[in-house]
Amino acid sequence: MEIFDYMRKYDYEQLLFCHDDASGLKAVIAIHDTTLGPALGGTRMWTYATEEAAIEDALRLARGMTYKNAAAGLNLGGGKTVIIGDPRKDKNEEMFRAFGRFIQGLGGRYITAEDVGTTVEDMDIIHEETDFVTGVSQTYGSSGNPSPVTAYGCYVGMKAAAKEAFGSDSLEGKTVAVQGVGHVAFELCRYLHEEGARLIVTDISTEAVKRAVEAFGAKAVDPDDIYAQDCDIFAPCALGAILNDETLPQLKAKVIAGSANNQLKEPKHGDRLHEMGILYAPDYVINAGGVINVADELHGYNRERAMKKVEQVYYNVQKVIDISKRDGIPSYLAADRMAEERIAKVSRARSQFLPHNKHVLEKRLPR
Ligand SMILES: NC(=O)C1=CN([C@@H]2O[C@H](COP(=O)(O)OP(=O)(O)OC[C@H]3O[C@@H](n4cnc5c(N)ncnc54)[C@H](O)[C@@H]3O)[C@@H](O)[C@H]2O)C=CC1
Ligand SMILES: O=C(O)CCC(=O)C(=O)O
């Protein structure tokens, strides 16, 4: 991999390697774009097969956060960290403290949060060493676990997509097939059940399926059968790349609206969904509830205000649909266009010289 060629191709700002031998910390922080504000994105801990795979993941995820934050209307840029290691075996307090000090050294250019393999408890340790961490536990007056808020954003985003596809945003009587009933999807199922939707669920964990069947009267199906279910809406809430050559021909849903990141295996699958007349609510627009929630911590966390902001996901999905119709392009490209247009407009507005730039971080968390 030619790092600078890759960074030039997608316009990255910065890539940092953080090493601490005593704790075993090997972290890569990627900062993609800070036009809108400091780069905010979670820390993923994973056992990467190679260092190159870890760097690529950090870069790809950081760019995704630029688009997610811009589309969500946040004054934040995009960044992400990967820590190389097994989250079940390799974590220790010194590691997250050392990592926190590296983040502090960036002076606010990058703000972290949870991602796959890291928890609220890990954020609390990072918080001992830096001001620039969110997703910290509620005992610090912070937001805690973001999943229920992500679920709420996903629910309102699904309603906006339903309005376009079925003429009404009511989900009463609609059948929703949910792939993966983990932290986000279980809460999503609760909203759907309360509104009177019929649920079909699957998960590789029989325990997770059992919980959803018992709590919401959901019908359970095998993981491979979820795509071909007779349903109105398909909600991918487990893995990435599940919209691909094998699964697209099986789909009967008119709408795809779920929380999973990177749902399209390749861009051509977004084109194909458009041709098939299936409305795809782009992943990073509909699953932005989590980041909207943690970003609220930067202003002194207020749950009510955060939930109000997350309601905006409804209108963001509508905006994407409008751009898709206006420009005759698939929804995934419309989402990119919406994010890029916002970055360009803010960038133009900020070209005017000001003696003192307004700092985006109005209030820091107490420590
Ligand atoms: N937690 C959050 O706030 C956010 C989550 N997301 C994304 O939403 C998705 C779900 O996140 P969480 O609920 O936090 O994760 P989770 O790990 O709690 O839930 C995922 C569920 O999917 C199941 N699963 C895995 N492979 C499967 C397969 N092949 N078929 C069926 N089920 C399978 C797992 O057993 C698990 O129950 C992930 O893609 C995540 O990246 C995105 C933004 C924020
Ligand atoms: O939701 C979070 O905890 C952090 C934001 C993030 O990294 C994401 O949305 O993927």
Side-chain angles (χ1 to χ4, degrees):
M1 181 188 199
E2 297 293 335
I3 297 270
F4 282 107
D5 285 349
Y6 189 95
M7 290 178 76
R8 192 177 309 115
K9 186 169 171 194
Y10 295 109
D11 225 1
Y12 284 89
E13 290 180 14
Q14 203 174 3
L15 186 63
L16 293 106
F17 295 85
C18 310
H19 171 248
D20 177 59
D21 203 32
S23 66
L25 176 74
K26 282 193 273 182
V28 182
I29 303 175
I31 297 179
H32 175 245
D33 184 291
T34 57
T35 305
L36 295 179
L40 190 150
T43 294
R44 179 166 295 194
M45 185 163 184
W46 198 249
T47 49
Y48 292 93
T50 62
E51 288 177 3
E52 188 168 341
I55 297 164
E56 253 185 73
D57 207 27
L59 287 166
R60 191 180 55 83
L61 291 164
R63 183 164 175 262
M65 288 310 299
T66 297
Y67 281 83
K68 186 184 289 202
N69 292 339
L74 298 168
N75 290 318
L76 292 164
K80 204 95 170 186
T81 298
V82 303
I83 295 181
I84 301 172
D86 185 338
R88 288 162 308 179
K89 293 196 310 234
D90 298 333
K91 283 184 183 178
N92 57 67
E93 181 181 342
E94 302 90 294
M95 172 182 280
F96 287 106
R97 279 187 180 268
F99 178 49
R101 293 185 78 79
F102 280 111
I103 296 175
Q104 188 69 6
L106 285 169
R109 269 179 61 66
Y110 169 69
I111 303 167
T112 200
E114 297 91 349
D115 195 77
V116 176
T118 58
T119 63
V120 174
E121 291 71 35
D122 301 331
M123 297 308 121
D124 286 351
I125 301 172
I126 294 171
H127 185 231
E128 296 291 330
E129 301 293 342
T130 183
D131 297 323
F132 306 111
V133 54
T134 56
V136 178
S137 71
Q138 286 171 330
T139 44
Y140 291 97
S142 300
S143 66
N145 175 14
S147 303
V149 192
T150 301
Y152 182 60
C154 202
Y155 166 65
V156 297
M158 186 184 283
K159 285 172 83 63
K163 179 142 195 227
E164 175 67 18
F166 309 118
S168 158
D169 66 10
S170 169
L171 298 172
E172 189 179 357
K174 292 279 177 284
T175 302
V176 186
V178 182
Q179 180 181 47
V181 263
H183 291 103
V184 175
F186 188 81
E187 296 304 321
L188 173 64
C189 286
R190 191 192 305 284
Y191 287 115
L192 296 173
H193 178 66
E194 277 168 9
E195 194 169 332
R198 281 191 289 269
L199 295 170
I200 302 173
V201 298
T202 195
D203 199 292
I204 49 168
S205 153
T206 48
E207 197 46 46
V209 170
K210 189 162 166 266
R211 263 191 350 131
V213 169
E214 283 174 7
F216 313 119
K219 174 181 153 195
V221 297
D222 287 339
D224 287 345
D225 296 338
I226 194 72
Y227 306 101
Q229 291 302 309
D230 231 327
C231 62
D232 301 296
I233 301 169
F234 173 47
C237 297
L239 307 169
I242 44 82
L243 299 171
N244 56 47
D245 289 343
E246 287 73 47
T247 59
L248 259 51
Q250 301 178 45
L251 296 175
K252 298 204 177 75
K254 281 267 156 269
V255 169
I256 300 176
S259 74
N261 274 312
N262 304 322
Q263 293 172 29
L264 298 171
K265 182 159 187 208
E266 293 170 57
K268 69 172 184 187
H269 299 112
D271 299 334
R272 183 79 196 103
L273 286 172
H274 187 63
E275 288 155 14
M276 290 164 77
I278 297 177
L279 176 54
Y280 167 62
D283 44 15
Y284 68 74
V285 177
I286 196 167
N287 74 16
V291 75
I292 295 172
N293 185 50
V294 295
D296 194 72
E297 290 180 28
L298 303 174
H299 310 283
Y301 187 65
N302 178 309
R303 183 76 164 192
E304 211 176 307
R305 182 180 59 204
M307 292 304 269
K308 267 261 159 283
K309 286 186 192 164
V310 171
E311 274 167 23
Q312 185 64 33
V313 171
Y314 183 100
Y315 303 101
N316 293 343
V317 170
Q318 271 190 338
K319 264 188 239 162
V320 168
I321 294 168
D322 289 347
I323 294 171
S324 166
K325 290 201 287 196
R326 179 193 76 190
D327 298 351
I329 53 173
S331 58
Y332 80 96
L333 286 178
D336 286 0
R337 197 162 287 182
M338 180 169 89
E340 285 160 5
E341 279 175 2
R342 179 158 180 261
I343 293 169
K345 279 183 196 158
V346 173
S347 172
R348 264 197 309 278
R350 287 189 179 165
S351 63
Q352 182 194 22
F353 171 77
L354 284 184
H356 301 291
N357 265 318
K358 182 182 178 328
H359 201 288
V360 72
L361 303 181
E362 286 163 8
K363 184 168 178 288
R364 293 305 318 154
L365 303 171
R367 268 195 291 145

